[in-house]
Amino acid sequence: ALHFSCRVDTAKMKFSIAATLLSLFAHSVAADEVIGLHGSGTTNPSKCYWHLMDLMQTQTKLPVKMTYRGIGSSTGQAEFIGNGTLSDNDFASGDIPLTADNYAALPANSVIHLPIMLGAISFFHSVPTGESQLNLTPCVLAKIFKREITDWTSSEIKELNPNLQLSSSLPITVARRVLGSSSTASITAYLQNACPDVWPEELVGSTIDWPEGTEECEGSAAMTECIVSKEGTIGYIDSGHGHAEGLQEIELRNADNVYINSKEAIANGGVTAAALNAGFPDSLDADFSSVNLLNQPGENTWPIVAMTYIYVRKDLTFIPNPAAQTLLKTFLKQLYADEFIPICETDFGFVRVTGDLRNMSLAAIDSLVVSSDAPEWIIETDTLSRVGQGNYVISTKRDSYSEVEQNDAVGDIAALSALIAELEAKVESMQGTIAELSETTMTHTHSDETGAVEADAEYLDIESGDDTQVKTALALASVSFILWMATIIGVLVKYTLHV
C-alpha cells in the first residue's frame, strides 16, 4: 500500500510539474502574441492618434500593433457599425456624431460618444494677396462654392476687400473633399445655417452633389496639394493641418459680424466658446446627432467648430484578445491625460475637452465591459521597481533611438527655421538699401538746361557714383550669399525631417 501511495504521489508530482510547465508555456505564448488594436475614421486628428500609438508601442515590452486609418468620418462610422452586431474596427473616430439613422441601427444604448477634443475647420486659399488679408462672408463663400462667383475680381469680393490688388482676372478654383468627410459636413451645414437663402438644405452632408467644375481632393494631404498647386484655389481643411502646412487662411465674418481667423479665435477661447451652448446630451450613450457647434455667438467665437469623437461599444468583449480590450481603454484614457493631450494642442492645433464632459468621458471609459481575464495595463511615469518590468506596462522610461533622434531633429528644425526667418529679414532690409543706393547713383549725374555738364561737378559725381556702385555691388553680393545660405539651410531642414 505504501508503495502504491508513493507511486500515486509521484504521479501527482509529475502531473503537477507538467501542469506548471504548460501554464508557464501558455503564459509565454500569450505574452508573445501580437496585441492588435485598430481604428479608423476622420483624418483631422490622425497625427495626434498616430503619435500616441507610436509612444505606446515603443514604451511596452510586449509586441503591440496599433493602427489608425484616416479615411473620413462617414467611412469610419460605416466600419464601426459593421453588420450591426460586429464592428469592422475596434473603435472609430469622427468630427461629427453618429447620424440619427446610424445610432438607431445599433442596439439601444450600446455605444458611447467620447468627446476628445475641439478643432476649427477653416477655408484656405492661394490667392496672391500680398500683405492684405482676404475677407469673406458666409454668403460670398456660399456663392463661390456653388460656382456662382467664379473670379477673384468679382465686385462682391472687391467690396469686402478694397485693398486687394490683382493685376488681371484670376479664376477661382474650388477644391473639395471626396467620399464621406466630416469637414464637408461641417462647412456645408455652416453655409446653410449662416446663409440659407444661397445654400439649400439639399447641399448639406458629408457627401453632396457638388456643382460642376470643382476640384476633387481625397483627404487632408490631398486638399493641401490642391490648394498650393494652382494659384487662385480655395478649399477647406482643419485649422491645425492648414497652419502646419503654411497655407493662407481667409478672414471669416462670424455671427457677431467680426472678421476673424481661426488662429486668433483659438488664442482668445473662441473654439471652446462654441461648445457652451451646443446642446450636449446628459449621457454619453445617448443620441448626439442634434449637437450643434456651428455659427455660435461671441465676438471671438469661430463659426465652424467640430468636436472630435471616438465611437466605442460599451461591451468590448467582441475584441478577441482580452489584452487588446484593456489596451483600448488605456489608449482612450491617455487621450485625456495631462501628460499627453497638450501635444495635440501645441503641435496639431486642437483644444482639449475639459470640465463635466471630460469627467463623464473618463467615467464612461472605466465602465466599459471587458473579459474577466483581461489584464490591467499600468502607466509607469515614476520608476516602479520590478513592477515596471512587467508584461502589461507602458513605461515612459522606455524609448527608442529613432524617437530620441526625431525629438532632437525637431529642435534642430526649429532653430534652422528661425535662422531662415532671420536671413530673409536681412535680405528684405538689404533690398531696400540697394534700392536707395541705386536711386542715389542715378541722381549723381545731372546736366544743365543746355545739356552741358560742369567739369568739377562731373569729376565729383563720377567719383561719388563709383563709390555708390561699389556699395551696391557689395550689397548685391551679400544678398546672393544670404539667399544661398537660406537654400542650403532649407535642404538641411528637409534632410532632417526625413531622419
Side-chain angles (χ1 to χ4, degrees):
L2 181 60
H3 176 69
F4 177 76
S5 176
C6 287
R7 289 187 63 182
V8 172
D9 289 343
T10 301
K12 286 182 177 179
M13 185 179 295
K14 287 180 179 179
F15 177 79
S16 176
I17 292 171
T20 301
L21 290 173
L22 183 62
S23 174
L24 290 172
F25 176 73
H27 178 76
S28 176
V29 170
D32 291 337
E33 180 184 352
V34 175
I35 303 168
L37 186 63
H38 309 288
S40 60
T42 174
T43 61
N44 293 342
S46 54
K47 290 182 180 179
C48 183
Y49 294 163
W50 292 334
H51 182 73
L52 177 54
M53 287 176 169
D54 282 350
L55 284 178
M56 292 178 69
Q57 290 175 136
T58 299
Q59 293 176 351
T60 180
K61 75 176 189 179
L62 295 182
V64 169
K65 179 67 173 176
M66 304 172 72
T67 68
Y68 179 80
R69 289 166 55 243
I71 52 175
S73 295
S74 294
T75 308
Q77 286 191 12
E79 294 183 350
F80 179 71
I81 293 169
N83 62 12
T85 304
L86 188 64
S87 298
D88 300 330
N89 49 28
D90 298 322
F91 70 93
S93 183
D95 297 312
I96 49 177
L98 290 170
T99 64
D101 289 341
N102 284 344
Y103 180 79
L106 295 163
N109 304 114
S110 64
V111 302
I112 58 174
H113 285 75
L114 292 174
I116 302 294
M117 47 201 163
L118 292 156
I121 310 297
S122 190
F123 297 89
F124 293 86
H125 66 91
S126 56
V127 182
T129 58
E131 298 299 318
S132 300
Q133 64 186 35
L134 182 61
N135 296 330
L136 292 176
T137 65
C139 286
V140 169
L141 269 173
K143 291 178 181 180
I144 288 173
F145 277 81
K146 280 186 70 179
R147 306 298 289 147
E148 293 176 4
I149 295 177
T150 58
D151 199 285
W152 288 108
T153 57
S154 161
S155 58
E156 291 187 67
I157 295 176
K158 281 185 174 181
E159 185 179 347
L160 302 174
N161 300 276
N163 296 324
L164 179 62
Q165 301 294 326
L166 295 175
S167 57
S168 60
S169 173
L170 180 60
I172 298 174
T173 299
V174 171
R176 48 85 172 185
R177 291 282 297 274
V178 295
L179 304 179
S181 163
S182 58
S183 297
T184 301
S186 293
I187 69 108
T188 56
Y190 163 70
L191 293 175
Q192 205 282 321
N193 180 301
C195 193
D197 293 339
V198 178
W199 198 268
E201 286 189 19
E202 55 265 28
L203 288 181
V204 175
S206 58
T207 56
I208 66 169
D209 291 327
W210 286 95
E212 290 186 10
T214 55
E215 191 82 13
E216 294 185 351
C217 316
E218 184 176 346
S220 298
M223 176 61 76
T224 299
E225 181 61 27
C226 285
I227 294 171
V228 300
S229 61
K230 187 175 182 180
E231 189 175 75
T233 299
I234 185 169
Y236 53 91
I237 193 174
D238 71 279
S239 173
H241 271 97
H243 290 299
E245 296 293 341
L247 302 179
Q248 299 179 83
E249 185 181 7
I250 71 164
E251 301 284 322
L252 180 57
R253 195 173 73 186
N254 66 12
D256 277 27
N257 295 317
V258 175
Y259 286 101
I260 192 170
N261 60 57
S262 61
K263 259 190 176 179
E264 294 171 345
I266 291 171
N268 290 285
V271 168
T272 304
L276 296 178
N277 300 302
F280 290 102
D282 295 330
S283 175
L284 298 186
D285 62 1
D287 182 358
F288 272 63
S289 61
S290 62
V291 172
N292 177 32
L293 293 150
L294 302 174
N295 212 33
Q296 294 287 346
E299 181 181 353
N300 294 310
T301 301
W302 184 248
I304 317 173
V305 173
M307 176 70 80
T308 295
Y309 302 95
I310 283 184
Y311 325 121
V312 62
R313 292 182 182 270
K314 294 167 75 172
D315 186 345
L316 299 182
T317 57
F318 75 94
I319 301 174
N321 189 333
Q325 299 168 18
T326 44
L327 181 63
L328 175 54
K329 293 180 68 170
T330 304
F331 171 73
L332 296 175
K333 282 187 175 181
Q334 287 301 102
L335 287 171
Y336 293 94
D338 291 335
E339 295 79 12
F340 175 75
I341 196 64
I343 295 173
C344 299
E345 296 180 295
T346 57
D347 291 6
F348 308 122
F350 291 97
V351 177
R352 73 170 75 189
V353 169
T354 58
D356 291 341
L357 273 179
R358 179 180 183 274
N359 295 335
M360 287 171 62
S361 299
L362 289 171
I365 295 169
D366 283 334
S367 69
L368 296 175
V369 177
V370 297
S371 301
S372 58
D373 59 343
E376 180 183 357
W377 290 80
I378 296 172
I379 304 295
E380 182 188 35
T381 50
D382 297 325
T383 301
L384 300 173
S385 179
R386 301 192 67 190
V387 173
Q389 194 59 21
N391 282 335
Y392 302 103
V393 177
I394 296 168
S395 174
T396 59
K397 307 300 179 181
R398 288 191 180 94
D399 213 332
S400 69
Y401 183 72
S402 62
E403 283 288 328
V404 173
E405 285 291 287
Q406 287 172 13
N407 289 337
D408 291 344
V410 169
D412 293 340
I413 290 168
L416 290 171
S417 298
L419 182 55
I420 288 175
E422 182 181 345
L423 291 175
E424 287 176 341
K426 288 183 178 179
V427 166
E428 187 176 344
S429 175
M430 285 187 171
Q431 286 174 336
T433 303
I434 290 169
E436 291 176 5
L437 290 172
S438 298
E439 186 178 345
T440 303
T441 301
M442 292 178 64
T443 58
H444 274 305
T445 303
H446 55 86
S447 58
D448 59 15
E449 292 180 358
T450 61
V453 180
E454 298 179 3
D456 291 341
E458 180 181 2
Y459 173 76
L460 292 172
D461 285 346
I462 289 172
E463 187 179 65
S464 177
D466 288 343
D467 182 57
T468 302
Q469 289 173 0
V470 169
K471 290 179 179 178
T472 303
L474 288 172
L476 285 169
S478 299
V479 168
S480 177
F481 173 76
I482 289 173
L483 288 173
W484 272 106
M485 287 295 296
T487 301
I488 292 170
I489 290 171
V491 172
L492 289 174
V493 167
K494 288 183 178 179
Y495 170 78
T496 308
L497 280 168
H498 291 89
V499 168

